Amino acid sequence: MRDAEFFRRWMAAAATAVEREADRLTELDSPIGDADHGSNLLRGFTAVRAALEAEPTDAAPGAVLQLAGRTLISTVGGASGPLYGTLLRRTGKALGESPEVSDEELRAALSEGVGAVAQLGGAASGDKTMLDALLPGVAALATSYRAAGVAAENGALATVPMRARKGRASYLGERSVGHQDPGATSSALLLGALADVAEQAGAR
């Protein structure tokens, strides 16, 4: 079972990963976006870390993710804030007010969160978006947390030959081919951070 502390550690690990990879995310965003993905997410997850440090330690897992989602929406510009904020808020809402949640409950809640992202962005698998990492990553949670991280990373790498059909990159048409999607890359960081924290907690 996963308590609120597990989810705070996940968000902190995600913030650390974004801090480490911010320059790379911006570099990936430069040819097919606005060259601000890394800086935007860095600002957002830095704010998430601060917000969670100020949050009471007895908050439920769902409350942790909803706070993180609200913070991202209020601090991150462009599409990333609403999309990541929706992912975490909907996942947190699906978890409800339970003080502990099972791995199966987390997987089901994340699936709801990913579905909300797809609805908000109007995107699907193969459109060269964050969904190309999130969909296989969350599906692989049925196997293990590490499998989810690996599947998300492979999903991000698989966006390189795709032509973007949604978002800023879609305006480039064929010129979007040959570039790794920054949103899929940051989504892989998020699930990779989840895998790291789960392994530290002794999960498979």
Side-chain angles (χ1 to χ4, degrees):
M1 299 294 285
R2 310 296 165 197
D3 60 8
E5 179 59 27
F6 175 88
F7 287 85
R8 277 193 293 274
R9 289 200 302 269
W10 175 24
M11 292 296 101
T16 297
V18 167
E19 183 177 9
R20 183 184 67 241
E21 299 292 335
D23 288 346
R24 175 172 170 252
L25 292 174
T26 291
E27 184 178 333
L28 290 173
D29 195 36
S30 183
I32 59 174
D34 295 322
D36 59 1
H37 189 62
S39 58
N40 281 344
L41 283 189
L42 179 59
R43 181 172 62 254
F45 275 96
T46 298
V48 166
R49 192 200 298 268
L52 291 176
E53 286 174 353
E55 182 77 1
T57 56
D58 58 352
V64 171
L65 293 187
Q66 289 192 69
L67 174 60
R70 290 195 304 271
T71 302
L72 289 174
I73 289 172
S74 66
T75 58
V76 179
S80 297
L83 290 169
Y84 272 105
T86 294
L87 172 67
L88 296 179
R89 285 182 67 186
R90 183 62 65 88
T91 300
K93 184 177 180 181
L95 291 176
E97 299 179 0
S98 300
E100 292 186 327
V101 299
S102 68
D103 293 339
E104 292 75 18
E105 288 169 331
L106 174 55
R107 184 171 71 248
L110 275 169
S111 293
E112 283 196 33
V114 173
V117 169
Q119 185 176 27
L120 177 63
S125 177
D127 284 345
K128 199 182 182 91
T129 71
M130 60 196 294
L131 291 176
D132 290 304
L134 290 174
L135 286 168
V138 172
L141 274 173
T143 300
S144 71
Y145 283 100
R146 181 51 60 193
V150 171
E153 177 64 26
N154 288 338
L157 292 172
T159 63
V160 173
M162 293 178 182
R163 174 175 174 170
R165 293 197 289 260
K166 293 292 179 181
R168 174 72 174 79
S170 66
Y171 303 151
L172 299 176
E174 288 296 334
R175 286 181 294 154
S176 65
V177 174
H179 300 284
Q180 184 168 322
D181 183 68
T185 306
S186 56
S187 295
L189 291 178
L190 184 68
L191 292 185
L194 175 60
D196 291 342
V197 169
E199 288 181 347
Q200 290 164 8
R204 63 188 180 90

